[in-house]
Amino acid sequence: MSSGIDNETTQFHVLAVDDSIIDRKLIERLLKTSSYQVTTVDSGVKALEFLGLLEDHENADINKNTNSNPTFPPTGNFHHEMEVNLIITDYCMPGITGYDLLRKIKESRLLKDIPVVIMSSENVPTRINNCLQQGAHEFFIKPVQQSDVNKLRPHLLRGKSMENQPNNIIINSSKRKPIEECLSPSRLRAKLKELELVQ
Amino acid sequence: MENAGQLRRQYVDFVASLYHEGFLDDQFGQLQKLQDEGNPYFVVEVVSLYFEDSEKLMNNLTTALQQHVVDFKQIDAHVHQFKGSSSSIGAQRVKNTCVVFRDYCEEKNLDGCLKCLQQVKHEYYIVKNKLETMIRLERQILEAGGTIP
């Protein structure tokens, strides 16, 4: 069980979601070369199950009913034996799409701080914008490359440092700044123009 | 029995031709880079998954195009998947055929779709053959005591 004391040796755990078995194999290998622990699932529903969002005792419901603050601080996502530090998901999937999955994660009190990355074989600017506006940290065009996976580390490290200092401001150690959800649409557009979204 | 040196040369020439003739693109090279002593069968595993997945997709496409009322959306979904997997392993010609195939789906052009199905099967079986040859050459090199270039 990770206590967050020794960050150097603690492995990051990534949940990868893709309905294509070939792409699951590929993303798994790419993530493992970066020494991440990987869990792959083949659908958004299975991802929600794994993250604990499909169960009755989901905390968001309890808080809605009691109309009070949670009695414990959000401890992240210890639903399973290992916490999930990042979710990377395909956009086009039968059933719930990657975008739907992203929204559900961002709506969840417990999971909203987990960075989410979207992958898609189609380079559609409106799709990319929508995902980033919805809170996705990165959008990768498939086939995903090692250079894409290398971009994940700053998001993971930021998550870890937030865990240790829950009341601190976001420590931004990456060269590329993430899109903050509170940006106004025009600032967001300007921000998106700055960033290279496509390789 | 050819020696490792001869086999290695054969292999290098063969792989070069696959890239040169457009059967494979750089993505296949990316897959090879992901293979190492810790994961020595990675490429073979991915390629095998691709073969299995592709046969299923082509069967589904054949069936779908034989229906009395053709569901072009469903066909497009299958082709989208086929295009994706082909792109992921670097099977360039198959991928490119899928692009044209999707256009015909959008136009609901049955004739175009049928022609593309034939074309995509043709391209698939060629690249399957080429990849199997490549894998066989690799095995022969290792058996002859050599290392894969």
Side-chain angles (χ1 to χ4, degrees):
Chain A
M1 190 74 76
S2 160
S3 60
I5 291 168
D6 187 350
N7 288 323
E8 263 57 65
T9 57
T10 308
Q11 258 197 323
F12 289 121
H13 178 210
V14 179
L15 175 66
V17 191
D18 201 315
D19 61 313
S20 159
I21 190 166
I22 289 110
D23 288 345
R24 278 201 304 282
K25 180 115 185 133
L26 187 54
I27 194 71
E28 182 189 47
R29 186 82 270 275
L30 282 166
L31 291 166
K32 283 186 170 167
T33 61
S34 296
S35 304
Y36 301 137
Q37 224 172 350
V38 187
T39 299
T40 61
V41 292
D42 65 8
S43 73
V45 171
K46 293 215 180 113
L48 291 173
E49 259 172 20
F50 187 82
L51 294 164
L53 286 184
L54 289 185
E55 299 193 303
D56 300 316
H57 57 264
E58 221 273 273
N59 290 305
D61 287 325
I62 295 171
N63 292 324
K64 231 187 279 172
N65 294 333
T66 60
N67 200 29
S68 62
N69 291 327
T71 52
F72 51 88
T75 49
N77 38 81
F78 291 103
H79 170 75
H80 271 250
E81 307 84 57
M82 19 180 202
E83 55 174 305
V84 172
N85 303 114
L86 186 138
I87 296 155
I88 180 164
T89 177
D90 188 25
Y91 184 92
C92 275
M93 294 188 291
I96 82 163
T97 65
Y99 181 79
D100 297 328
L101 180 60
L102 166 65
R103 272 188 44 223
K104 289 210 191 310
I105 290 163
K106 291 302 166 188
E107 283 165 11
S108 158
R109 189 178 286 268
L110 270 184
L111 304 176
K112 63 181 173 59
D113 292 326
I114 307 179
V116 180
V117 168
I118 310 279
M119 309 178 275
S120 176
S121 54
E122 288 164 321
N123 184 352
V124 181
T126 49
R127 177 183 295 183
I128 297 171
N129 289 359
N130 288 341
C131 289
L132 294 174
Q133 270 188 318
Q134 197 60 44
H137 279 70
E138 300 277 353
F139 193 103
F140 297 154
I141 303 295
K142 284 179 163 184
V144 177
Q145 310 287 296
Q146 190 64 65
S147 54
D148 293 314
V149 173
N150 295 343
K151 294 172 189 168
L152 299 177
R153 194 160 286 269
H155 301 300
L156 287 158
L157 288 168
R158 201 180 314 117
K160 260 288 176 244
S161 59
M162 273 189 77
E163 230 177 74
N164 297 333
Q165 300 161 74
N167 296 316
N168 266 25
I169 52 167
I170 295 169
I171 300 158
N172 191 339
S173 57
S174 74
K175 289 178 200 155
R176 177 195 292 207
K177 290 186 196 268
I179 306 274
E180 298 112 73
E181 290 170 50
C182 55
L183 281 180
S184 68
S186 53
R187 275 189 69 199
L188 181 62
R189 269 195 291 277
K191 230 342 189 265
L192 287 169
K193 281 208 178 102
E194 266 178 55
L195 301 172
E196 354 152 347
L197 295 167
V198 175
Q199 292 144 261
Chain B
M1 162 104 165
E2 290 164 285
N3 66 33
Q6 285 173 310
L7 288 164
R8 286 173 106 251
R9 271 190 301 278
Q10 247 183 66
Y11 178 82
V12 167
D13 289 342
F14 183 69
V15 174
S17 75
L18 295 183
Y19 284 101
H20 186 68
E21 289 162 33
F23 291 107
L24 295 179
D25 63 29
D26 184 62
Q27 179 60 19
F28 188 79
Q30 298 298 318
L31 290 186
Q32 290 182 307
K33 281 189 195 153
L34 290 170
Q35 181 163 296
D36 56 25
E37 303 85 53
N39 294 270
Y41 305 113
F42 178 69
V43 175
V44 165
E45 284 167 2
V46 178
V47 165
S48 303
L49 286 172
Y50 175 68
F51 291 164
E52 257 182 66
D53 197 55
S54 301
E55 315 263 345
K56 265 188 227 151
L57 285 167
M58 288 183 303
N59 286 339
N60 290 341
L61 283 166
T62 307
T63 305
L65 281 165
Q66 283 168 347
Q67 296 308 302
H68 182 59
V69 178
V70 172
D71 183 350
F72 286 100
K73 256 189 135 174
Q74 177 66 281
I75 291 167
D76 182 68
H78 290 313
V79 179
H80 172 82
Q81 221 184 314
F82 202 3
K83 174 178 161 260
S85 57
S86 302
S87 164
S88 292
I89 72 146
Q92 190 176 239
R93 285 202 195 181
V94 180
K95 177 189 75 175
N96 290 342
T97 310
C98 287
V99 172
V100 179
F101 202 154
R102 290 196 79 193
D103 288 340
Y104 283 127
C105 287
E106 212 182 301
E107 292 168 24
K108 297 195 183 353
N109 183 333
L110 182 58
D111 212 49
C113 284
L114 288 166
K115 288 203 174 86
C116 271
L117 178 61
Q118 254 194 320
Q119 183 70 19
V120 91
K121 283 179 175 174
H122 176 74
E123 292 295 349
Y124 167 75
Y125 285 116
I126 295 177
V127 82
K128 177 169 195 257
N129 193 275
K130 302 278 186 192
L131 288 169
E132 284 173 335
T133 301
M134 184 198 293
I135 290 165
R136 194 164 48 242
L137 272 170
E138 286 182 356
R139 203 168 43 234
Q140 286 175 321
I141 291 169
L142 295 173
E143 282 168 7
T147 54
I148 297 162

